[in-house]
Amino acid sequence: MSTLNGKMAVVTGGGRGIGKAIALTFAGAGAAVAVAGRNRAALDAVCATIAARGGRAVAVVCDVADAAQVYAAFDTARAALGPCDILVNNAGVTYSARFADTDDALWDQVVRVNLHGAYYCCKAVVPTMIDHGGGRIINIASMAAVVGMPFSVAYSAAKHGLLGLTRSLALELQRYHITANAICPAWVETDMMAGAIDALVEKTGRSRDEARAALLARGGQQRSISPEEVAVAALRLAGPDGATISGEAIMLQ
Ligand SMILES: NC(=O)c1ccc[n+]([C@@H]2O[C@H](COP(=O)([O-])OP(=O)(O)OC[C@H]3O[C@@H](n4cnc5c(N)ncnc54)[C@H](OP(=O)(O)O)[C@@H]3O)[C@@H](O)[C@H]2O)c1
């Protein structure tokens, strides 16, 4: 399938987990991919896999919470692969703590990465997308963007904010043929889910299997989702089928 031939995509947090699956899927569909994140070795490994499969990719190191780093990284990506047609705001962090134990620094870091980071990346690409007559913005939010999440209040607040950013951009940018959508998965099998299981084991003394079952039950899930299943949803939004879909919060269960 070459539905993204000739397109350039930026995927933040592309070195592992959901972002890696999206980067590989988009490259497999023909896109040139700028793989962004903080860990150079992980980004290089994803780019090497894409190159070995005959695709084009460049690693761009940046902390999405730092505006200057984001703007420099997008300049690097554009110089290497051309203007961005598809932005995937995937970089994210979560944590597990009672609200009473959530200090200002933790709140600030979680909101900066999950919300400010997406804002900086949108600022970096929207003017060019307008100039080029269109684009796709895909924000990897969470089920926690539409329902509250105990013990992760800052995360849920940031993801609710990300959904507001998505819906507002969708309305403002529709005249420029730029779509903006959020994908809102329940639990996905990545380091993030493993960390949540570890935290539950530590706090409750449950076994890992019990903790996993409790997390899935909390999300009303029959099973966990794979990163590749999230990538399939992202590909649909990025490709021709996604041209008329905007302002949506797509729930994955
Ligand atoms: N796993 C789930 O159950 C689940 C469910 C719903 C939504 N999500 C969302 O899906 C997205 C991806 O999560 P995941 O499960 O793949 O998590 P993950 O395995 O923990 O990966 C997180 C990714 O975000 C990057 N990242 C974190 N902080 C960053 C920063 N300050 N600057 C740049 N990159 C940063 C990481 O890159 P580094 O290598 O630089 O750390 C990594 O690539 C997140 O937005 C998450 O909130 C996950």
Side-chain angles (χ1 to χ4, degrees):
M1 248 203 323
S2 303
T3 54
L4 301 185
N5 265 350
K7 302 294 184 189
M8 190 286 223
V10 178
V11 182
T12 68
R16 59 193 166 96
I18 293 169
K20 176 180 176 180
I22 292 172
L24 295 176
T25 298
F26 281 18
V33 183
V35 190
R38 294 168 302 177
N39 182 335
R40 160 71 69 185
L43 303 176
D44 284 344
V46 173
C47 291
T49 302
I50 290 172
R53 295 175 182 176
R56 289 174 71 208
V58 64
V60 282
V61 177
C62 72
D63 179 339
V64 296
D66 182 317
Q69 287 190 35
V70 170
Y71 300 144
F74 276 77
D75 285 346
T76 303
R78 185 188 169 122
L81 301 176
C84 175
D85 301 292
I86 305 159
L87 167 64
V88 183
N89 284 311
N90 166 79
V93 284
T94 193
Y95 66 99
S96 179
R98 296 188 315 159
F99 182 67
D101 299 327
T102 304
D103 63 20
D104 295 351
L106 178 58
W107 174 277
D108 194 56
Q109 187 226 359
V110 170
V111 175
R112 288 197 70 78
V113 175
N114 291 290
L115 180 56
H116 293 210
Y119 158 74
Y120 297 140
C121 294
C122 290
K123 285 289 282 183
V125 300
V126 164
T128 321
M129 286 181 173
I130 290 173
D131 286 348
H132 284 78
R136 306 284 167 86
I137 297 169
I138 301 166
N139 294 326
I140 308 301
S142 168
M143 190 175 62
V146 287
V147 295
M149 188 165 177
F151 309 110
S152 224
V153 170
Y155 179 76
S156 185
K159 292 297 192 183
H160 274 69
L162 183 58
L163 193 49
L165 175 73
T166 307
R167 288 173 166 152
S168 303
L169 283 179
L171 290 173
E172 185 171 325
L173 299 178
Q174 60 186 349
R175 75 190 67 177
Y176 305 111
H177 310 289
I178 300 168
T179 66
N181 291 285
I183 297 176
C184 302
W187 288 107
V188 184
E189 290 288 349
T190 66
D191 293 346
M192 188 176 279
M193 182 174 173
I197 291 171
D198 289 345
L200 209 53
V201 166
E202 190 187 313
K203 281 174 187 152
T204 64
R206 292 177 187 167
S207 70
R208 288 191 65 78
D209 283 349
E210 288 167 343
R212 167 186 293 278
L215 277 186
L216 293 177
R218 201 187 284 169
Q221 283 174 269
Q222 301 301 314
R223 64 174 181 88
S224 59
I225 299 164
S226 72
E228 290 71 25
E229 288 174 307
V230 183
V232 167
L235 180 60
R236 177 148 183 262
L237 293 172
D241 290 350
T244 55
I245 304 171
S246 199
E248 290 293 332
I250 295 165
M251 307 297 293
L252 299 185
Q253 282 247 326

